[in-house]
Amino acid sequence: MQTVETLNEGLKRAFTLTITAKDIDAKVDVELKRLAPQMKMPGFRPGKVPANLIRKMHGPALTQDALNAAIQESVQTLLAEKQLRPAMQPSVELEDGYDLGKDAVVKVEMEVLPQVPAPAIDGIKLERLTVPVSDDAVTEQLQKFADQQKKWDDAADDYVAKMGDLVTVDFVGKTADGVAFEGGTGTDMGVELGSGRLIPGFEDQLVGVKSGDDKVLNVTFPEEYQEKSLAGQPATFDITVKSVKTAGESKIDEDLAKSLGLESLEQLTGLLKGQIEQEHNGLTRTHMKRKLLDQLAEGHDFEVPPSMVEAEFNQIWSQLQHEATHEADPEAAMAEMEGERDDYRKIAERRVRLGLLLSEIGQANGVEVSNQEMQRLLAQAAQQYPAEQRQQFMQYVQQEPMAAAQLRAPLYEDKVVDFLFEKAEITDREATREELEAAIESEDGFASGTHTHDHDNHKPKKKAAAKKAKPASDEAASDDAVTDEAPASDAADEAKPAKKAPAKKKAAPVEAETAVTESSPVAAENAEGTEAADAPAKKPRAKKAPTKTEA
């Protein structure tokens, strides 16, 4: 193989590889020897078909396979000899006009990883804001469960509904011109007055009704209502009151715990305290991690591969576009995004740089994800798929290095962060939950007083999407047309020991704001040059990952 470097500019590299016809033909001979014992052909005993006959019949296919193998091996050799560390998969292209049996000229282009300066990890100082779990916080959660489990008692026929009561109604929603709109009809809908679940004015106008009453409610749909034809429009609801019920006393007692499937009030209290503590610890870690990444970003500035920045930006932008389609005014949301495009590109660059730094720190200090940890990650990820697709998903990840890298990356990043926490000088300060949340959300709490990445905190403000009115035939969603927000979650689910963490912002996740880690596009293995085989193109295609079922 002959190698000629055609470009060496910044992080960009390009080469021309010439693979001789003799080398390709040698590979064909090797393949012929391997296949000959297996070949069957009329007139010949099994395994006795002459090599020249096999070549005559299957020569083009064998030559093509040999060419692909030669290209792959040549790129591997190039990466090893030149000690190249590709940032992304190299572009490998066979020159136009190639004829089988002749020398092959291959163009290889790539961006290489920069030489990351030895990360400065000594002298890192962090403040750990801790929030103790108060008895009042636990009692407040217990009271919420008790309120959700409250019993409703039938009121007398002449009882007048007031705030806090449960009114069951049938309703028909109509536009200002008296036409019933789609999704605006429902039966036997329970409305807890004062809950704030329904569109403004709906609950208030039910105060004072009695069982058997008919009433017309006049409301105006919110401007951000998802159904555009109703957003900001006046409407009426013809209401028939089926019943009125009053709330029984909410008690925090053993029966409450048992109604949630637990053995005792003590067990419920312990679970809630552990859940709140876990939430506080998560917030504390988020704050510390932001401060840590701020210090790393402030202390390191080096060129990053444009292709990696572009890939990270495209991922962020795709998430934003998806989110914008669920806004009340998608066009306005997209226009706002466009105005902040440069900010998001800077976020992408910061994330890539931090990812390279964390990868370098991890490799230099022996941080790794064990096989056992990887198997646990794989098993957890497989649970997101239907049972019949889990084995297919696991095989896909095992065959695709990039899929495995994406699965491994968040855990690797966390392990590097934990390593840095151990190295850092940490001082503790007690704070309230409100103070901790404010520190996380504030620009100062995020940027640590620097100006190199203030854009990380400039994200479009998202309004909560109102539910879309659904057809009346959808009985489970018959109240969607008047609902302003989702109902409270099931109390039994809320009582589980570990509550789900708050959803991360889609655009530039704070908890995972680095773009790459151990084996993402900047795989630790690739950085060491031991996975060069993954770089060349023209590898056999792996099966697609199974598609997750939508919730």
Side-chain angles (χ1 to χ4, degrees):
M1 178 186 74
Q2 298 175 356
T3 303
V4 177
E5 185 177 60
T6 58
L7 177 66
N8 188 334
E9 183 179 305
L11 298 177
K12 294 182 179 180
R13 301 288 186 274
F15 300 88
T16 297
L17 310 181
T18 302
I19 305 170
T20 66
K22 182 179 179 181
D23 289 339
I24 298 171
D25 200 51
K27 289 186 178 297
V28 173
D29 289 339
V30 171
E31 187 66 8
L32 281 172
K33 291 178 182 178
R34 187 185 71 82
L35 291 176
Q38 308 169 29
M39 296 295 293
K40 295 180 181 179
M41 190 175 294
F44 296 94
R45 286 180 296 166
K48 298 299 182 180
V49 180
N52 62 339
L53 188 56
I54 298 174
R55 182 187 284 271
K56 182 177 181 181
M57 295 184 64
H58 303 286
L62 290 173
T63 303
Q64 185 63 57
D65 289 343
L67 173 63
N68 290 342
I71 291 174
Q72 191 163 322
E73 288 181 13
S74 297
V75 176
Q76 293 176 31
T77 302
L78 170 69
L79 297 178
E81 289 182 351
K82 301 291 185 180
Q83 297 183 338
L84 299 171
R85 303 185 305 163
M88 303 286 283
Q89 183 143 310
S91 167
V92 181
E93 182 181 352
L94 181 64
E95 195 171 73
D96 291 340
Y98 171 74
D99 293 324
L100 293 179
K102 293 185 177 181
D103 292 351
V105 179
V106 179
K107 295 179 181 178
V108 181
E109 298 178 354
M110 70 189 79
E111 285 179 349
V112 296
L113 293 178
Q115 290 297 322
V116 179
I121 61 175
D122 293 324
I124 294 176
K125 296 182 179 181
L126 298 171
E127 183 179 52
R128 179 165 49 208
L129 300 183
T130 59
V131 182
V133 180
S134 66
D135 292 339
D136 288 344
V138 176
T139 301
E140 182 182 346
Q141 287 298 317
L142 285 170
Q143 189 60 54
K144 288 181 180 179
F145 285 134
D147 291 342
Q148 290 173 349
Q149 297 296 306
K150 70 179 67 170
K151 294 180 173 61
W152 298 98
D153 301 322
D154 291 327
D157 290 342
D158 60 350
Y159 177 82
V160 176
K162 62 180 184 298
M163 284 294 177
D165 292 339
L166 181 69
V167 180
T168 302
V169 300
D170 294 345
F171 63 91
V172 177
K174 299 177 181 179
T175 59
D177 55 5
V179 178
F181 53 82
E182 185 180 7
T185 301
T187 59
D188 295 326
M189 181 180 74
V191 181
E192 184 177 352
L193 304 188
S195 66
R197 281 189 55 210
L198 306 183
I199 57 178
F202 195 99
E203 295 173 21
D204 294 340
Q205 294 177 65
L206 289 177
V207 173
V209 300
K210 300 188 299 294
S211 179
D213 281 356
D214 292 322
K215 186 171 184 178
V216 177
L217 310 184
N218 293 284
V219 299
T220 300
F221 279 95
E223 292 289 344
E224 68 273 13
Y225 199 69
Q226 187 168 344
E227 178 54 56
K228 290 184 178 180
S229 63
L230 298 176
Q233 298 301 310
T236 61
F237 283 91
D238 296 342
I239 300 295
T240 298
V241 180
K242 305 290 281 293
S243 68
V244 178
K245 296 184 178 182
T246 58
E249 184 181 358
S250 299
K251 294 182 179 179
I252 300 175
D253 54 16
E254 297 294 329
D255 289 338
L256 172 62
K258 291 176 181 177
S259 72
L260 296 171
L262 302 175
E263 294 181 358
S264 65
L265 180 60
E266 182 181 2
Q267 183 186 15
L268 173 59
T269 302
L271 290 176
L272 285 175
K273 185 174 182 178
Q275 173 184 305
I276 295 171
E277 188 174 40
Q278 187 177 33
E279 292 173 1
H280 289 176
N281 290 341
L283 291 171
T284 296
R285 178 183 172 82
T286 295
H287 179 253
M288 284 181 62
K289 182 175 178 181
R290 286 189 178 186
K291 292 288 190 180
L292 171 66
L293 296 181
D294 284 343
Q295 290 189 41
L296 289 176
E298 183 179 15
H300 301 85
D301 186 18
F302 52 87
E303 185 180 8
V304 294
S307 60
M308 292 180 68
V309 175
E310 187 66 21
E312 187 64 26
F313 171 77
N314 288 339
Q315 182 178 350
I316 294 173
W317 201 250
S318 177
Q319 291 171 336
L320 285 167
Q321 288 177 320
H322 175 75
E323 197 170 84
T325 61
H326 293 82
E327 291 289 337
D329 189 344
E331 292 184 2
M334 287 294 294
E336 186 176 2
M337 283 167 48
E338 287 292 343
E340 297 180 334
R341 179 183 284 268
D342 290 343
D343 291 346
Y344 282 107
R345 192 169 292 280
K346 290 175 182 176
I347 291 172
E349 182 176 338
R350 167 187 158 100
R351 288 173 65 175
V352 170
R353 184 174 289 109
L354 283 171
L356 291 170
L357 275 171
L358 291 181
S359 180
E360 190 74 17
I361 292 169
Q363 292 175 62
N365 293 278
V367 178
E368 60 182 21
V369 174
S370 68
N371 288 335
Q372 185 178 5
E373 289 171 326
M374 189 62 193
Q375 289 304 312
R376 186 165 60 248
L377 285 175
L378 186 58
Q380 291 172 348
Q383 294 302 312
Q384 301 175 44
Y385 292 87
E388 64 274 11
Q389 292 185 357
R390 289 171 190 168
Q391 188 60 36
Q392 180 186 351
F393 167 75
M394 295 178 77
Q395 289 175 349
Y396 165 76
V397 173
Q398 290 166 351
Q399 294 170 1
E400 282 294 313
M402 288 302 294
Q406 291 172 355
L407 191 61
R408 184 190 297 114
L411 176 58
Y412 183 79
E413 176 179 305
D414 280 341
K415 295 187 76 166
V416 176
V417 168
D418 287 338
F419 166 78
L420 291 172
F421 283 166
E422 292 175 3
K423 295 277 293 181
E425 179 183 332
I426 298 176
T427 56
D428 290 298
R429 177 166 68 88
E430 194 171 297
T432 65
R433 178 166 180 152
E434 291 72 23
E435 289 171 339
L436 179 53
E437 289 175 337
I440 291 173
E441 291 300 322
S442 70
E443 182 170 306
D444 181 63
F446 182 53
S448 291
T450 70
H451 300 284
T452 57
H453 51 273
D454 288 349
H455 297 284
D456 290 55
N457 205 33
H458 296 170
K459 305 175 182 68
K461 295 180 180 179
K462 304 296 179 186
K463 296 180 180 178
K467 288 189 174 182
K468 184 177 181 180
K470 295 184 179 180
S473 60
D474 188 353
E475 195 170 314
S478 61
D479 62 340
D480 282 357
V482 293
T483 301
D484 193 38
E485 62 181 29
S489 57
D490 187 83
D493 289 338
E494 291 289 338
K496 292 179 182 178
K499 183 179 178 183
K500 286 184 178 180
K504 298 173 185 174
K505 294 182 180 180
K506 290 185 177 181
V510 171
E511 210 27 78
E513 65 176 68
T514 55
V516 288
T517 48
E518 177 197 28
S519 47
S520 193
V522 214
E525 296 92 342
N526 282 349
E528 295 167 1
T530 59
E531 287 291 334
D534 290 337
K538 298 186 179 293
K539 292 201 304 179
R541 274 185 200 276
K543 293 181 180 178
K544 279 188 174 182
T547 304
K548 295 180 187 177
T549 54
E550 295 294 335

